[in-house]
Amino acid sequence: MIRCICLAAVCIFSGLGAAYSQSLNGTAYTLNADQLSSNNNFISQNVRVIRQNRDGLLFFGTRSGLSIYDGYKFVNFSKTGALNIGRINDVYEMADGSMLIATDNKAIFKYDKGRIHPLYTKNQHTLANFQMAPWGKLLAASREGIYEVLPGGPRAVESLLPGKRFFDLELLGNKFIAACGDNTPIIIFNSKYQVVDSLSIGTVYDMEIGNGNDIWLATPEGLKLMDKSAASKGKIILKPLPAELKAAGLDTKVITTVRTDSYQNLWIGTIYEGLYKFHDNKLAVFNKFNGFAYDRVICLYEDKEYNIWIGTDAGIFKVSNPVFDFFNRKNGLISSITCSAISLNNKTYIATNMGVSVLDERAITKFSTLTATEDCMSTDTMQGKLMFTNTNQLHLVDLSLKKEQVIYTLPDGVTFNPATRPVPGDRNKFFLTNKGILAGYGTKFSYLPAVNDDVRAMLIDKKRQLLFTADHQAGLKVYSYRDSVGKLYVKPLYKTVLPSYAQSLVLSSKGELWAGTLKNGISKFSVTGDGKLNPAGKYDYNSGLSSNIIYCMYKDSHQNIWVGTDAGVDKLCSTNKHTVIQNFYKLYNFQQEVYSIYESPDGNVWLSGFDGLVKVYHSRQLKRPGSPNVLLNMVRVSGNTDTVYNYPDSKRIKLSYTDNTLSFEYASPGFRKERSRLYSFRLLGSNDTAWSTPSLKNSVIFAQVKPGRYAFQVKAGDADGQWSVKPAVFYFIIRPPFWLTTWFFVLSAAVFFMVIYGIYRYRINQIQKVMLIRNRISRDLHDDVGATLSSIKILTEVARKKLINNQAEESVNLLEKIGHQSVEMIDQMGDIIWSVNPSNDSLDRLIERIQNQFNSLCIARGIVLSIEMRDALQVQKLRMEHRKHLYLIIKESLNNALKYAGGNAIIMRIWVEASKLSISIKDNGQGFNKNDANCGNGLRNMRDRVKLIGGVLDICSANGEGTEIKIKCPLT
């Protein structure tokens, strides 16, 4: 989209009857054919309908689809799925905020929450216009009649000329007016769908129920006017057009659309004839000759900020200041560089650098040239005649005689200061020059003797008899002033040096002196009774002025102070408490240099400047829109873009702790001056919940957001200082990593205490194991070693007695028993020590001990002992209890085989089967009867020990067949 700001693009145009040429100050939006897919361009330059929804978004229905504009960018929809949207005839907002879209391809679409989807695709009717009836039915005008739009689709109203073509439908009270198409009369019908009146007037493209008693009809045969009072009663009565419209030929031109705005302007769109504006019986035309480069006006719309949007076949044009009339050279001014204006005898006289132009708004040809005298500085009146100055001459014009004469010429080196209007005194007029002040009484002139500065501004305070002057170099000066019978008394009193060039002066209604400068805005002073100036305030760009360069100031009849700057004009309205600054650049996109300001007797304010003359209608109070709305358009989570519509309303979305970088894009639809809204945001739930400093930036990024619950809020502020009543809000939750969650803390605490408890229990178990080992060792020592020692003690005592009684042989037997028991005790002690030694925990150490104990015994008895075990099992670890019990079981088995088997071979096999340790001890001896053996303590002890280690013992034996003992137990 190419956007061009049309500040004063106008041409001379005359010969259109009563319509006079005027510049249309606005913004053009046109299509860049190379960027159809770009969101910065609307989808088609042929704009058919313009609407605005409750959020402030603008909807442009075009020949190729829908464009939605928020003041920052266009979002385009040309198709939904495989279905093309096509040309749009109307867009209507429903009660739920969704938008119905009537298209030319016999389909109705629905826009809702950022998406478009087809609502009725099997519709066989081309709808042109929607209207909601007071009885709750949505009606539509179409090429085939009037329809009710029902949940199942449109249904024809059979009583309202079915099959006939209608272009528009307007509600008037409890009745509808239907604008007709070809060979169809315009009709009025009631709530019962009964036609109460009709009139054949040809095709009617558009209707506008205007102010007062007017209903305007746009037709290809010209503009027509219907009586609204009669229509409200069910009668169609046409009225004659106002003479100004008829004189301009609007009763015969092709009129496409018509609208009345909030300022009572009537806007009339045509084909090939441009655009017309009608107000206060004055008609202005805008066309290709004066800067409005659009031949075919298709639609008109006024938004909530009172901007006028003009849809054409070549783009969109926006008028953001309908309270202004613009005039420059292309409208008939002798020059666009204007210095001042004055009203006299219902005409306006404008001093320009090329002469004086005359504007007569009542005449057919509005502008004429009074004089071509170059470098005109100012205009004023004197004795009922027009007076103007150029560089060094004062001219007086008798308008009735059309006679001009030079009544005063300044001395060499002396010039009138530009754009400085003569200051009226009691009997004199004062003219400002570069060498002082020239006082004129009639045709007599003299200089004020006390003033010889380059005076740029002068002000007389008659109440306090003070005279103030402003000079670029000398600053402000205060003089006593008295006008007595034509004699002036001026005496210097005080001098105040301003920090920059003083250019203009105004005395407020409170008696304060306001001094405009060329660098630092406005300085305000309170004035004492004797003329002393005390600083009382300052206004500059930071305070809200359009610029710090002040060219002129003017106090109007309502005590408002108008300020002309190099960037526009400001209006300062003082109240009892403070001063409100209305910056016209921010409010109405008005931007041009203003050199002089003048209020005409009718209350209108005229602005003279570099780009021509501007008329501000005082009768049209500048309307201020309501507080700005703000919308959240886009949210990006860790770089992934999505619209906020994809998230449930008023619900918090949950994000992973890794998705902790969020950016938001927002907009406040404001169209007086796009991209001028201020935004302030905050993130509730963060460490800083204060509102941010207002900024023009409409996006923000939050990086590395900590886990928590958040609400992002943003509000918008406009040039009037109004802020959004309700901020836009986006709720979200960033989930913490699992190790920071409550359940993890609870689980961790539980695990911690379980570990502590486990360690405690482990410690207790270890202590118990140690105690069990101690008890076992103590028991073993007591049972085995202790019993053996007791037996040795008894035998020793008996042997001692035997020796005393000389029973030596018996004593020797007893000593041998003591020796045997000592050997057994040593073996038992060795077994105990071996079983508790950790270095003996492996299976190979167990086999090694068995071999050490039984190899020699077996050899001594001629028995072959063989042990079979895989190498991998040698390193198999055994718990101390397992090792001890296995050792004793094997030892008992081998001892029994040595003592009772009577064989010559013993085979011990060790293997692992099904994660179980299996041991087989087999001899080739005589065997035994198991039933008799079961009573033996040895076998019983073996079974008990196997059970202690969780295993099973199986004994296979029969008389004469040898014995096999099988042990199966866990590995650990």
Side-chain angles (χ1 to χ4, degrees):
M1 179 191 68
I2 302 172
R3 298 179 53 195
C4 58
I5 308 300
C6 304
L7 294 176
V10 292
C11 291
I12 299 176
F13 184 78
S14 60
L16 286 176
Y20 68 95
S21 177
Q22 187 187 115
S23 296
L24 190 62
N25 192 28
T27 304
Y29 303 76
T30 56
L31 179 69
N32 185 335
D34 296 330
Q35 297 179 350
L36 283 173
S37 62
S38 171
N39 278 344
N40 292 323
N41 303 272
F42 58 92
I43 197 167
S44 170
Q45 62 187 10
N46 192 299
V47 180
R48 315 297 301 177
V49 61
I50 306 173
R51 296 288 186 265
Q52 188 174 28
N53 71 353
R54 66 188 62 177
D55 292 328
L57 297 173
L58 282 175
F59 290 73
F60 297 95
T62 75
R63 182 179 292 274
S64 303
L66 181 70
S67 286
I68 303 175
Y69 186 43
D70 63 3
Y72 287 83
K73 65 181 180 180
F74 288 90
V75 178
N76 299 318
F77 300 90
S78 60
K79 61 171 55 180
T80 171
L83 184 61
N84 289 324
I85 295 175
R87 189 173 82 168
I88 294 177
N89 296 326
D90 196 18
V91 180
Y92 181 82
E93 185 173 19
M94 301 295 288
D96 61 358
S98 63
M99 308 293 287
L100 286 189
I101 304 166
T103 69
D104 225 25
N105 62 2
K106 299 184 179 181
I108 300 177
F109 295 86
K110 184 177 182 180
Y111 171 87
D112 189 26
K113 295 182 178 179
R115 291 183 173 88
I116 284 184
H117 62 272
L119 194 61
Y120 308 115
T121 56
K122 297 182 180 180
N123 178 33
Q124 298 300 315
H125 315 287
T126 301
L127 304 185
N129 170 251
F130 293 112
Q131 276 291 350
M132 182 62 71
W135 51 90
K137 298 290 186 180
L138 181 63
L139 303 183
S142 83
R143 296 177 182 175
E144 295 85 19
I146 305 298
Y147 284 80
E148 284 185 340
V149 182
L150 303 174
R155 185 189 68 182
V157 180
E158 296 297 334
S159 60
L160 298 177
L161 304 181
K164 296 297 182 179
R165 187 171 188 173
F166 291 92
F167 284 113
D168 195 11
L169 195 61
E170 296 293 338
L171 179 65
L172 181 62
N174 61 350
K175 297 180 178 65
F176 273 102
I177 306 174
C180 52
D182 301 333
N183 301 317
T184 304
I186 187 170
I187 64 173
I188 298 178
F189 62 90
N190 59 22
S191 60
K192 297 180 180 180
Y193 301 133
Q194 298 171 333
V195 177
V196 297
D197 199 8
S198 64
L199 181 65
S200 295
I201 60 173
T203 298
V204 177
Y205 293 140
D206 192 17
M207 292 186 296
E208 172 69 5
I209 299 176
N211 303 294
N213 196 34
D214 298 328
I215 299 177
W216 300 92
L217 308 178
T219 80
E221 290 81 27
L223 187 65
K224 299 184 185 302
L225 186 58
M226 184 189 299
D227 189 290
K228 185 165 70 173
S229 177
S232 65
K233 298 175 183 178
K235 294 294 182 180
I236 299 176
I237 299 176
L238 297 182
K239 301 193 303 183
L241 286 180
E244 293 82 4
L245 300 181
K246 191 170 184 179
L250 289 176
D251 57 339
T252 60
K253 299 182 186 299
V254 179
I255 310 298
T256 54
T257 182
V258 60
R259 283 292 176 272
T260 303
D261 67 19
S262 299
Y263 291 104
Q264 315 307 317
N265 295 307
L266 178 67
W267 299 84
I268 305 164
T270 72
I271 293 181
Y272 305 125
E273 301 290 346
L275 179 70
Y276 290 81
K277 183 178 70 172
F278 184 58
H279 181 81
D280 287 345
N281 297 322
K282 299 181 180 68
L283 184 65
V285 61
F286 313 99
N287 53 32
K288 61 184 178 181
F289 295 102
N290 59 16
F292 183 72
Y294 303 92
D295 286 334
R296 298 169 61 92
V297 176
I298 300 174
C299 59
L300 295 163
Y301 186 77
E302 182 184 29
D303 66 21
K304 296 177 182 179
E305 296 175 278
Y306 314 106
N307 302 303
I308 302 299
W309 294 85
I310 305 162
T312 76
D313 65 345
I316 313 166
F317 194 88
K318 178 192 69 179
V319 181
S320 57
N321 43 14
V323 295
F324 304 131
D325 285 345
F326 295 85
F327 308 96
N328 57 25
R329 185 174 182 178
K330 295 179 181 180
N331 303 119
L333 277 172
I334 192 172
S335 172
S336 294
I337 302 177
T338 60
C339 297
S340 69
I342 191 74
S343 294
L344 183 63
N345 300 330
N346 296 318
K347 296 181 181 180
T348 303
Y349 296 87
I350 307 105
T352 77
N353 66 324
M354 299 297 291
V356 177
S357 288
V358 185
L359 172 61
D360 186 354
E361 296 183 87
R362 301 171 302 169
I364 294 177
T365 302
K366 298 301 176 181
F367 285 98
S368 60
T369 299
L370 177 66
T371 178
T373 303
E374 294 185 356
D375 297 328
C376 292
M377 302 293 187
S378 64
T379 55
D380 207 338
T381 60
M382 176 183 287
Q383 299 174 355
K385 299 177 182 179
L386 178 69
M387 179 178 59
F388 68 90
T389 63
N390 62 351
T391 305
N392 62 349
Q393 291 180 327
L394 181 60
H395 299 252
L396 192 64
V397 182
D398 189 327
L399 298 174
S400 60
L401 300 177
K402 297 183 179 180
K403 181 180 179 181
E404 176 186 346
Q405 61 176 329
V406 177
I407 60 174
Y408 188 79
T409 300
L410 295 176
D412 292 341
V414 182
T415 60
F416 289 108
N417 282 329
T420 54
R421 190 182 307 279
V423 179
D426 292 330
R427 301 176 180 83
N428 300 274
K429 281 188 179 291
F430 298 94
F431 301 88
L432 310 183
T433 76
N434 63 337
K435 298 296 184 181
I437 300 175
L438 180 68
Y441 181 77
T443 57
K444 297 180 180 180
F445 298 90
S446 62
Y447 282 93
L448 295 184
V451 183
N452 54 13
D453 300 318
D454 182 3
V455 180
R456 297 294 174 145
M458 170 186 166
L459 191 63
I460 297 176
D461 184 352
K462 298 179 182 178
K463 182 178 179 180
R464 287 179 285 209
Q465 293 188 332
L466 298 174
L467 184 148
F468 305 93
T469 65
D471 184 348
H472 284 183
Q473 303 298 329
L476 296 182
K477 288 187 177 181
V478 185
Y479 303 83
S480 62
Y481 166 81
R482 185 162 55 91
D483 187 352
S484 177
V485 195
K487 191 172 183 179
L488 297 175
Y489 296 92
V490 178
K491 180 182 178 180
L493 294 178
Y494 303 104
K495 176 181 177 180
T496 299
V497 178
L498 292 178
S500 60
Y501 294 151
Q503 177 69 16
S504 55
L505 297 173
V506 161
L507 198 64
S508 72
S509 58
K510 298 178 181 179
E512 298 169 322
L513 182 68
W514 295 54
T517 72
L518 289 179
K519 287 187 178 180
N520 293 327
I522 300 172
S523 295
K524 184 171 68 173
F525 301 89
S526 62
V527 185
T528 63
D530 59 355
K532 288 184 178 180
L533 303 179
N534 298 312
K538 184 178 180 180
Y539 301 93
D540 56 15
Y541 180 81
N542 294 327
S543 306
L545 293 179
S546 57
S547 173
N548 286 336
I549 300 176
I550 311 299
Y551 287 146
C552 61
M553 293 193 298
Y554 184 88
K555 183 174 70 175
D556 66 18
S557 57
H558 297 276
Q559 307 304 314
N560 300 311
I561 297 177
W562 294 72
V563 181
T565 74
D566 68 330
V569 67
D570 307 303
K571 183 179 178 183
L572 282 64
C573 307
S574 296
T575 63
N576 293 331
K577 295 183 179 180
H578 58 278
T579 298
V580 177
I581 300 177
Q582 294 183 6
N583 184 322
F584 280 31
Y585 172 63
K586 292 181 179 179
L587 292 174
Y588 309 105
N589 203 22
F590 176 83
Q591 185 178 21
Q592 71 178 51
E593 293 184 358
V594 176
Y595 302 144
S596 176
I597 303 173
Y598 165 72
E599 182 183 21
S600 58
D602 58 5
N604 297 319
V605 175
W606 298 81
L607 311 176
S608 303
F610 185 80
D611 293 316
L613 183 68
V614 180
K615 180 181 179 181
V616 184
Y617 285 90
H618 177 70
S619 60
R620 309 182 199 180
Q621 293 294 327
L622 300 179
K623 297 182 180 296
R624 301 174 66 183
S627 58
N629 187 34
V630 62
L631 305 174
L632 272 171
N633 292 336
M634 202 73 68
V635 57
R636 293 179 177 87
V637 179
S638 295
N640 297 319
T641 302
D642 209 345
T643 62
V644 295
Y645 299 118
N646 290 340
Y647 299 106
D649 295 338
S650 303
K651 293 184 179 180
R652 297 180 184 269
I653 67 165
K654 295 182 179 180
L655 303 173
S656 167
Y657 70 93
T658 59
D659 295 328
N660 61 350
T661 298
L662 291 89
S663 63
F664 298 94
E665 183 179 303
Y666 35 85
S668 176
F671 306 105
R672 283 193 174 177
K673 185 174 182 296
E674 286 98 327
R675 301 174 181 267
S676 65
R677 291 282 169 90
L678 295 173
Y679 298 95
S680 181
F681 60 84
R682 64 179 177 179
L683 187 62
L684 297 179
S686 64
N687 293 331
D688 184 6
T689 59
W691 288 100
S692 66
T693 302
S695 168
L696 291 173
K697 189 176 181 182
N698 70 322
S699 63
V700 64
I701 298 176
F702 295 97
Q704 303 299 316
V705 181
K706 296 179 180 179
R709 303 170 69 90
Y710 297 95
F712 173 74
Q713 295 182 336
V714 60
K715 60 183 179 178
D718 60 17
D720 286 344
Q722 298 184 100
W723 286 88
S724 305
V725 175
K726 184 179 179 181
V729 185
F730 185 81
Y731 298 98
F732 64 97
I733 297 174
I734 295 183
R735 293 174 297 196
F738 72 89
W739 59 83
L740 293 179
T741 58
T742 302
W743 67 263
F744 183 80
F745 283 125
V746 173
L747 181 61
S748 298
V751 170
F752 174 77
F753 286 113
M754 290 176 64
V755 169
I756 296 300
Y757 179 74
I759 293 173
Y760 166 75
R761 292 303 307 168
Y762 175 79
R763 178 63 178 164
I764 295 298
N765 290 336
Q766 292 300 108
I767 294 175
Q768 289 178 343
K769 287 181 180 180
V770 171
M771 293 300 297
L772 287 175
I773 293 173
R774 288 179 177 178
N775 291 334
R776 181 178 64 79
I777 294 173
S778 174
R779 185 177 64 251
D780 291 344
L781 290 175
H782 178 272
D783 293 344
D784 296 334
V785 178
T788 303
L789 289 175
S790 297
S791 176
I792 291 174
K793 179 181 177 182
I794 293 171
L795 291 175
T796 302
E797 184 64 26
V798 172
R800 186 180 65 80
K801 290 180 180 181
K802 292 290 184 180
L803 289 174
I804 293 173
N805 297 327
N806 295 319
Q807 298 177 346
E809 185 177 350
E810 293 180 1
S811 297
V812 170
N813 291 333
L814 290 174
L815 290 174
E816 288 179 354
K817 288 183 179 180
I818 291 171
H820 288 302
Q821 289 183 352
S822 298
V823 172
E824 290 180 1
M825 184 181 69
I826 292 171
D827 290 342
Q828 291 173 353
M829 287 294 292
D831 289 344
I832 293 172
I833 295 171
W834 180 86
S835 66
V836 299
N837 189 350
S839 62
N840 299 321
D841 284 346
S842 60
L843 191 58
D844 64 328
R845 297 304 297 271
L846 173 64
I847 299 304
E848 180 183 348
R849 183 165 181 81
I850 294 296
Q851 289 176 333
N852 290 337
Q853 285 192 342
F854 288 95
N855 275 344
S856 58
L857 293 176
C858 289
I859 292 172
R861 297 190 180 189
I863 298 174
V864 178
L865 175 64
S866 61
I867 299 176
E868 299 177 2
M869 180 179 67
R870 292 184 178 181
D871 294 340
L873 288 177
Q874 293 182 4
V875 295
Q876 177 66 43
K877 295 294 183 179
L878 298 174
R879 289 191 296 116
M880 184 178 66
E881 288 296 315
H882 270 59
R883 181 163 47 84
K884 171 193 171 186
H885 290 301
L886 284 175
Y887 169 71
L888 293 177
I889 292 169
I890 294 172
K891 181 178 179 181
E892 181 68 21
S893 298
L894 292 175
N895 281 330
N896 289 336
L898 291 174
K899 290 180 181 180
Y900 308 114
N904 59 7
I906 301 174
I907 301 174
M908 185 172 70
R909 296 173 59 247
I910 301 174
W911 74 97
V912 175
E913 182 179 357
S915 300
K916 298 284 188 178
L917 180 66
S918 299
I919 301 175
S920 170
I921 302 172
K922 185 177 180 180
D923 63 61
N924 58 356
Q926 59 186 358
F928 63 93
N929 190 331
K930 293 191 294 182
N931 293 329
D932 295 337
N934 283 339
C935 298
N937 290 330
L939 292 178
R940 187 181 302 111
N941 289 338
M942 289 169 62
R943 293 183 186 278
D944 291 342
R945 291 183 184 280
V946 170
K947 288 181 180 179
L948 288 175
I949 60 176
V952 292
L953 177 71
D954 187 19
I955 301 174
C956 300
S957 183
N959 291 326
E961 296 182 0
T963 302
E964 183 179 8
I965 297 175
K966 298 180 180 179
I967 305 164
K968 184 175 288 187
C969 65
L971 280 172
T972 58

